[in-house]
């Protein structure tokens, strides 16, 4: 720009700053023909600075500066390439003194810049600077330490590292400054503060100094050559400064500056910007050191950024892997995503997460209001075609998004399905809502003659206006992570579909097996009962003792059967063993059970109930439990991997022979654990007794720390010590099975109780309560077409004691409000029933 040209803001972006026609005054310039060495132009201050007299243009260089100096310069030119960086010569001797020289080639012109020489050791300074940051492995620490080093080594009043955003706006990311200066840390400035042509020059010439923002501009003579071309000073150290930029600096109070380009992966990442509040010319030796430091800093920053990007990708992958592991054990994809929605914030920077799946909206963090979701879904339906889609300015696509810009101005959508239009959304707030300031961005500086724009605070106001309704843009890395997430979630969905089909197939197989098992078990149970009944009465035992023992064994057998049918929620391994082996506990056999409190999930509990029942039945028919003196030991333990190992050992029974054929029961023992639980099983028919080993995988077992569960009254061989009932007792019995009701009436009659009123349904019981007041009631929980809970409520209201009877293996049919009500198990056992009734009728301590 010519010195006498009028400057205004309309030509800022078009300003030809690479051909200003002038240089800064702390040096001079000669431009020579590369072939003949003839001077074509010179700066107006060259005669005074170099001590030259007479005409300069048209003279050969040797005549002006001497043979030795010209020879040195020609050797430097020989190593140059057109458009390459200048060669730097320190302390070149001329007739009137020593000079530091920068020389470069532009087309057919050699451009030589002279500055008065200063002493210095650039390599030592550069090594010192670089050595201080070599071992830094954190980006933020690198930025902070570098700003402090540059200020300490070069002496500027303020050193900032200025990073460019994706839209070209700049942010001060770190700062080292004189103590009395206010902070610029965290402040943003619009892209127009550094025009595109200036950014292009920062890539070509990586160091730029301004010695005096108010200094004179030294014109070139001539400004335009004979062909009408100005001199391109893109790579010149002395190139004069745009008057607009000088005005900008002066409005900030800055007198001198230096900028070091930060170039990452071929792009201008940012600047190391140095400000001084007095004129200051940085000598060439220090400029060389700063330039070398800038290049190493850029390489080191690039390496750390790449590692940071890799760490982010690995962290995202690890988060997805954890989710995939959870998904492998979860049947409901939607429920799993909703329960773990907050975990997805670890994948990328965002302010909120939203999930639209199966017609349900779930949100976490800062997200649009629920009433805006239908409009967002309509937008997604028009722009998303099975791929990740994102915008940092949602209001440009969806005008109503302006209303919730403070909650969500940008959105990245990850489609999960095609047909149902399910999406995972990442949201970002409006950019200006997320800023944190170290200084006051509204503080005003004095505006200069070129307008209010040319102050940093006014720049901030313009930038803030520009980025309204926008979020921080989504990066290519964000989109890549989102695409990986989409692929993973779609894969999970497909895998679940496959598993559902496979599970249906397995369910059909299990249903057939259960049908066979039901038939098999019924036969076994009937055979066992027949065996128990047909055993002769031992010497010295009365018939009453025999009947009591038989009833206790049948009661325990019923409990074992109930565990198989009612074990949907899983249960304790020890309880299952007790239930299966309970019928065989007597003085003639030795049973030993030992192991930690292991809880089996529903599948493992069901499978092991079948397996252990089969082993128990076989032991009672043919093994250690089939004769007096037989012994059975069951030991289980948890391995370090969390698997449960179970060892079944029989001894003292008849000699064991391997089966001659594999029946259904043998196949059940051998194959159920590997097939249904992905575990292992091995059965050895040793002569001394059967030995069976099972391994249940960790995913099916847990080490329980709970106390004993609420127990149900069960059969016992012990007499009902002290338990007796008043013969005049009036009893209400609610039982829907006539034969069972008759059996209970008989049990109570044995204790002399004659007044027993029986009802088969809740309605019938409530009707009888209108005219009959019992002393105690026995309520069967399940009555076929309903429950007796309504009757229990009425009895509670009337303050009449009662107990529940149930055939279920858990308390699930009984509401928590009746948790204190005693429960007896069905089939009824007389002594247990009488004891419970007697306890109910005992006078209260109160």
């Amino acid at each position: 720009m010519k010195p006498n040209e009028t400057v205004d803001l309309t030509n800022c972006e078009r300003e030809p700053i690479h051909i200003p026609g002038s240089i800064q005054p702390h040096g001079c310039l000669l431009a020579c023909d590369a072939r003949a060495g003839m001077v074509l132009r010179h700066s107006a201050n060259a005669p005074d600075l170099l001590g030259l007299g007479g005409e300069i243009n048209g003279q050969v260089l040797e005549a002006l500066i001497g043979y030795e100096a010209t020879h040195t310069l020609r050797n430097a030119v020989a190593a140059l390439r057109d458009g390459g960086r200048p060669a730097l010569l320190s302390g070149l001797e001329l007739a009137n003194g020593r000079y530091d020289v920068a020389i470069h080639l532009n087309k057919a012109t050699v451009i030589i810049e002279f500055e008065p020489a200063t002493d210095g050791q650039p390599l030592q300074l550069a090594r010192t600077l670089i050595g201080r940051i070599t071992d830094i492995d954190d980006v933020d620490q690198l930025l902070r330490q570098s700003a402090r080093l540059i200020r300490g080594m070069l002496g500027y009043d303020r050193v900032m590292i200025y990073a460019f955003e994706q839209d070209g706006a700049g942010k001060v990311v770190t700062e080292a400054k004189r103590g009395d200066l206010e902070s610029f840390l965290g402040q943003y400035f619009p892209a127009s503060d550094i025009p595109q042509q200036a950014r292009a020059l920062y890539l070509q010439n990586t160091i730029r100094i301004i010695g005096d923002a108010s200094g004179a501009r030294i014109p070139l003579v001539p400004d335009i050559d004979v062909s009408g071309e100005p001199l391109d000073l893109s790579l010149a150290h002395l190139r004069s400064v745009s008057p607009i930029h000088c005005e900008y600096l002066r409005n900030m109070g800055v007198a001198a500056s230096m900028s070091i380009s930060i170039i990452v992966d071929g792009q201008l990442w940012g600047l190391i910007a140095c400000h001084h509040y007095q004129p200051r010319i940085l000598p060439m030796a220090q400029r060389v050191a700063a330039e070398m430091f800038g290049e190493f800093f850029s390489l080191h920053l690039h390496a750390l950024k790449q590692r940071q990007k890799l760490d982010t990708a690995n962290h995202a992958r690890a988060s997805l892997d954890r989710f995939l592991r959870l998904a492998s054990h979860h049947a409901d994809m939607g429920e799993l995503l909703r329960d773990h929605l907050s975990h997805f914030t670890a994948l990328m920077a965002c302010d909120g997460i939203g999930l639209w799946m199966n017609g349900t909206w779930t949100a976490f963090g800062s997200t649009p209001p629920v009433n805006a979701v239908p409009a967002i879904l309509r937008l997604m339906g028009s722009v998303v075609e099975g791929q990740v889609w994102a915008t940092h300015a949602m209001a440009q696509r969806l005008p109503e998004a302006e209303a919730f810009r403070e909650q969500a101005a940008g959105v990245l959508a990850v489609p999960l399905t095609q047909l149902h239009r399910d999406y995972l959304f990442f949201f970002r707030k409006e950019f200006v809502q997320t800023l944190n300031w170290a200084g006051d961005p509204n503080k005003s500086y004095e505006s200069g003659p070129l307008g209010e724009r040319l102050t940093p605070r006014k720049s901030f106001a313009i930038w803030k206006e520009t980025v309204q309704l926008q979020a921080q843009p989504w990066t290519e890395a964000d989109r890549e992570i989102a695409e990986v997430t989409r692929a993973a979630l779609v894969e999970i969905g497909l895998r679940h579909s496959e598993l559902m089909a496979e599970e249906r197939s397995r369910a059909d197989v299990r249903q057939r097996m259960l049908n066979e098992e039901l038939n098999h078990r019924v036969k076994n149970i009937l055979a066992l009962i027949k065996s128990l009944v047909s055993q002769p009465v031992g010497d010295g035992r009365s018939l009453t003792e025999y009947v009591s023992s038989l009833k206790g064994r049948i009661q325990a057998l019923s409990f074992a059967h109930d565990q198989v049918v009612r074990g949907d929620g899983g249960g304790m391994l020890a309880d299952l063993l007790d239930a299966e082996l309970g019928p065989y506990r007597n003085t003639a056999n030795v049973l030993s059970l030992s192991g930690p409190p292991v809880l089996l999930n529903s599948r493992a509990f069901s499978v092991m109930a079948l397996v252990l029942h089969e082993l128990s039945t076989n032991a009672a028919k043919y093994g250690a439990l089939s004769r007096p003196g037989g012994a059975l030991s069951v030991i289980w333990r948890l391995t370090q991997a969390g698997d449960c190992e179970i060892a079944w050992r029989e001894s003292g029974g008849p000699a064991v022979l391997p089966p001659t054929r594999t029946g259904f029961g043998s196949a059940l023992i051998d194959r159920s654990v590997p097939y249904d639980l992905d575990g292992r099983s091995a059965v050895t028919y040793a002569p001394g007794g059967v030995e069976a080993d099972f391994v249940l995988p960790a995913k099916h077992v847990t080490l329980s720390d709970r106390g004993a569960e609420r127990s149900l009254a069960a059969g016992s061989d012990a007499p009902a010590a002290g338990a007796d009932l008043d013969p005049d007792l009036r009893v209400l019995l609610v039982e829907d099975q006539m034969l069972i009701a008759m059996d209970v009436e008989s049990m109570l009659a044995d204790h002399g109780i004659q007044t027993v009123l029986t009802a088969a349904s809740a309605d019938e019981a409530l009707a009888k309560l209108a005219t009959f007041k019992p002393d105690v009631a026995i309520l069967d929980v399940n009555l076929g077409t309903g429950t007796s809970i309504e009757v229990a409520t009425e009895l509670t209201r009337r303050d009449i004691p009662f107990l529940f009877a149930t055939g279920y293996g858990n308390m699930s049919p009984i509401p928590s409000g009746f948790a204190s009500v005693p429960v007896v198990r069905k089939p009824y056992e007389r002594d247990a029933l009488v004891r419970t009734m007697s306890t109910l009728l005992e006078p209260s301590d109160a």
Side-chain angles (χ1 to χ4, degrees):
M1 185 174 292
K2 297 179 181 179
N4 59 354
E5 183 177 347
T6 302
V7 179
D8 60 40
L9 297 181
T10 62
N11 59 18
C12 181
E13 289 290 341
R14 305 187 304 276
E15 187 180 4
I17 58 176
H18 63 300
I19 49 173
S22 58
I23 64 170
Q24 297 182 59
H26 60 272
C28 65
L29 179 147
L30 299 177
C32 306
D33 178 81
R35 291 182 295 275
M38 180 183 296
V39 177
L40 303 176
R41 321 181 202 223
H42 66 277
S43 61
N45 64 346
D48 291 338
L49 195 61
L50 298 179
L52 304 178
E55 185 63 37
I56 295 178
N57 291 344
Q59 298 291 321
V60 293
L61 186 63
E62 185 177 333
L64 296 174
I65 65 173
Y67 173 79
E68 290 294 335
T70 302
H71 179 71
T72 300
L73 292 176
R74 281 177 177 165
N75 286 340
V77 171
L80 293 174
R81 61 180 181 83
D82 186 16
R85 288 188 183 180
L88 303 176
L89 302 175
S90 177
L92 181 67
E93 293 283 353
L94 298 184
N96 67 328
R98 296 169 59 249
Y99 294 87
D100 292 333
V101 179
I103 180 169
H104 70 278
L105 188 63
N106 183 271
K107 297 180 181 178
T109 303
V110 176
I111 299 173
I112 310 169
E113 302 173 82
F114 298 88
E115 299 176 47
T118 57
D119 293 329
Q121 296 181 322
L123 289 179
Q124 183 59 38
L125 180 57
R127 287 184 64 189
T128 301
L129 290 169
I130 290 170
R132 297 288 185 89
I133 66 170
T134 301
D135 297 330
I136 295 177
D137 59 1
D138 176 77
V139 170
D140 292 337
Q141 184 184 357
L142 175 67
L143 298 175
R144 290 192 302 270
Q145 180 69 0
S146 297
R148 288 195 290 265
L149 281 172
I150 290 292
R151 181 167 185 267
M153 292 292 184
L154 303 184
Y156 281 92
D157 291 331
R158 184 197 304 272
V159 176
M160 300 172 289
I161 296 185
Y162 186 81
F164 295 123
E165 300 288 336
Q166 286 183 301
D167 61 355
K171 177 185 179 182
V172 179
V173 294
T174 193
E175 176 184 59
K177 65 180 182 66
R178 208 175 65 201
D180 60 326
L181 299 176
E182 67 169 305
S183 176
F184 289 163
L185 180 64
Q187 293 193 24
Y188 284 81
F189 304 96
S192 56
D193 275 19
I194 303 179
Q196 286 302 318
Q197 69 269 32
R199 296 171 192 250
L201 287 180
Y202 280 124
L203 280 171
Q204 289 181 273
N205 196 350
T206 59
I207 191 159
R208 173 72 163 141
I209 64 165
I210 300 173
D212 186 353
S214 300
R217 296 161 62 86
I218 307 300
L220 299 181
V221 182
D223 181 12
I224 304 297
D225 65 8
V226 293
S227 62
E229 294 291 329
L231 185 63
D232 189 334
L233 296 179
S234 295
L235 297 177
H237 285 216
L238 295 173
R239 173 168 49 87
S240 64
V241 186
S242 158
I244 296 177
H245 186 58
C246 286
E247 181 74 19
Y248 187 86
L249 292 176
R250 287 195 297 270
N251 290 343
M252 297 171 67
V254 175
S257 74
M258 179 187 71
S259 299
I260 305 171
S261 302
I262 303 172
I263 300 171
V264 174
D265 205 18
Q267 302 295 318
L268 187 64
W269 183 89
L271 298 171
I272 301 176
C274 306
H275 287 176
H276 206 65
Y277 292 87
Q278 297 294 329
R280 188 169 193 278
I281 298 168
L282 194 68
M284 181 179 287
Q286 291 182 303
R287 294 206 304 270
V288 171
E291 186 176 23
M292 294 174 65
F293 174 81
E295 291 184 352
F296 180 83
F297 174 88
S298 296
L299 291 172
H300 195 30
L301 178 64
H302 184 209
L304 293 182
K305 285 284 185 182
Q306 289 297 103
R307 191 176 74 179
Q308 194 176 62
K309 184 178 178 181
L310 181 61
D311 289 345
T312 300
N314 288 337
H315 182 65
R317 182 73 258 180
S319 296
L320 281 177
D321 286 345
R322 286 194 295 272
F323 184 79
L324 290 173
R325 286 195 294 271
L326 288 171
S328 65
H329 302 296
H330 211 288
D332 189 330
M333 176 74 167
E335 181 185 0
L336 180 65
L337 283 170
R338 286 188 287 272
D339 289 347
H340 295 83
L341 192 59
S342 61
H343 295 181
F344 285 89
T345 57
L347 296 181
M348 68 183 78
C350 64
D351 297 302
I353 301 275
L355 174 69
W356 177 262
M357 194 164 194
N358 299 327
T360 301
W361 174 252
T362 308
F364 174 81
S366 182
T367 61
V370 175
N371 59 10
V373 173
I376 295 174
L377 293 174
R378 286 194 296 272
L379 173 64
M380 296 303 113
S382 65
V383 296
V384 177
E385 298 180 353
Q387 300 297 321
V388 170
W389 184 85
T391 176
H392 67 286
M394 190 167 20
Q396 293 180 3
R397 295 290 195 123
L398 190 70
E400 49 262 60
E402 183 173 350
F404 53 82
R405 65 186 184 181
E406 294 185 8
Q407 289 77 39
V411 60
L412 185 149
V414 180
L416 304 179
T417 58
Q418 289 280 12
L419 296 178
H420 303 294
R421 296 186 182 273
D422 295 332
Y423 302 97
L424 178 67
F425 295 101
F426 295 84
F427 294 104
R428 284 178 178 169
K429 295 180 180 179
E430 186 183 29
F431 199 8
V432 295
Q433 303 298 325
T434 62
L435 303 182
N436 295 313
W437 301 105
D440 177 9
N442 298 310
K443 180 176 178 179
S444 296
Y445 283 108
E446 180 183 356
S447 298
L450 301 182
E452 285 192 339
R453 173 199 175 279
L454 295 177
T455 72
R457 304 306 184 178
K458 293 297 180 181
S459 294
F460 164 76
I462 292 172
W463 172 82
K464 183 175 178 180
E465 187 71 26
T466 302
V467 299
Q468 282 184 345
L469 300 176
Q470 297 181 30
Q472 184 82 320
W474 305 98
T475 66
E476 193 59 35
D478 293 333
R479 295 170 188 268
E480 289 175 4
I481 290 172
E483 184 56 40
V484 170
T485 303
R486 185 195 69 81
L489 295 180
V490 169
E491 179 183 346
I492 292 173
L494 292 174
R495 178 59 180 156
H496 273 218
S497 297
E498 293 175 359
L499 288 175
M500 287 177 66
E502 182 179 348
E503 186 59 32
R504 282 193 295 269
S505 175
R506 285 193 173 193
D508 290 341
V509 173
R510 281 196 296 272
Q511 185 62 49
R512 289 195 298 270
M513 290 184 68
L514 286 173
N515 289 339
E516 290 186 45
E517 171 61 14
L518 180 60
N519 181 50
H520 183 71
R521 275 187 72 86
V522 169
K523 290 181 179 179
N524 277 344
I525 291 170
L526 292 175
L528 179 58
I529 291 174
K530 179 182 177 182
S531 171
L532 292 174
V533 171
S534 62
Q535 282 188 357
V537 179
D539 294 339
R541 298 186 70 194
S542 67
L543 183 60
T544 301
E545 290 174 331
Y546 168 76
V547 171
S548 176
S549 175
L550 178 61
K551 289 175 68 176
R553 290 177 178 177
I554 294 175
Q555 183 83 9
L557 185 63
S558 169
F559 179 79
H561 176 71
D562 184 73
Q563 293 297 316
V564 174
V565 177
R566 305 296 182 184
D568 292 340
M572 302 295 291
L573 175 59
D575 292 345
L576 182 58
L577 284 164
D578 280 337
E580 293 293 349
L581 296 173
Y584 315 110
R585 288 189 181 277
N586 54 54
T587 56
N589 300 117
V590 177
L591 290 180
S592 174
L593 308 179
S594 175
V598 170
L599 181 68
L600 305 183
N601 67 11
S602 57
R603 173 168 289 191
F605 192 88
S606 177
V607 169
M608 289 310 297
L610 299 178
V611 170
L612 292 173
H613 177 77
E614 193 63 34
L615 286 169
S616 303
T617 304
N618 289 343
K621 286 182 179 179
Y622 318 111
L625 303 182
S626 65
R627 64 163 58 169
L632 170 62
S633 166
V634 184
I635 300 173
W636 62 96
R637 72 180 189 90
L638 289 180
T639 68
Q640 288 187 342
D643 299 337
C644 181
E645 295 180 345
I646 304 172
W648 174 287
R649 298 290 184 267
E650 296 181 30
S651 61
V656 174
L657 296 175
T660 56
R661 65 182 182 85
T662 302
F664 177 77
S666 299
L668 190 66
I669 296 171
D670 289 335
R671 298 176 55 190
S672 289
V673 171
Y675 182 85
D676 274 322
L677 305 181
D678 297 323
R680 299 193 300 274
S681 63
V683 181
T684 303
Y685 296 94
V690 172
E691 298 179 358
D693 294 281
F694 305 96
V695 178
L696 310 184
K699 61 185 177 182
H700 296 297
V701 301
T702 356
L703 186 63
S704 175
D705 57 358
R706 70 185 185 188
E709 291 185 345
R710 177 184 177 196
S711 62
L712 301 177
S716 170
D717 290 338
D724 205 355
L725 297 175
D726 184 347
D728 295 330
L729 205 63
R730 293 176 299 177
V731 179
L732 173 66
L733 172 62
V734 182
E735 171 60 62
D736 61 329
Q737 296 291 325
M738 184 187 68
L739 292 177
I740 297 177
M742 292 174 62
D743 189 34
V744 173
E745 290 173 358
S746 177
M747 293 177 187
L748 296 177
D750 290 342
H751 278 264
I753 298 172
Q754 301 299 322
T755 308
V756 179
L757 203 62
T758 303
S761 67
D763 289 341
E764 184 182 352
L766 291 172
K768 290 187 175 183
L769 283 173
T771 57
F772 175 70
K773 183 179 180 181
D775 298 306
V776 66
I778 303 168
L779 308 182
D780 182 13
V781 178
N782 281 278
L783 299 173
T785 58
T787 70
S788 60
I789 300 304
E790 189 177 359
V791 181
T793 303
E794 178 63 18
L795 292 171
T796 302
R797 189 183 70 80
R798 297 190 184 193
D799 200 23
I800 298 173
F802 61 93
L803 61 86
F804 285 122
T806 180
Y808 284 86
N810 54 49
M811 300 300 113
S812 58
I814 302 175
S816 58
F818 295 106
S820 61
V821 176
V823 179
V824 296
R825 292 200 53 81
K826 294 174 66 176
Y828 293 96
E829 197 279 321
R830 185 191 63 185
D831 293 334
L833 177 62
V834 169
R835 280 197 305 273
T836 306
M837 292 174 65
S838 178
T839 302
L840 269 176
L841 295 168
E842 287 178 358
S844 171
D845 291 341

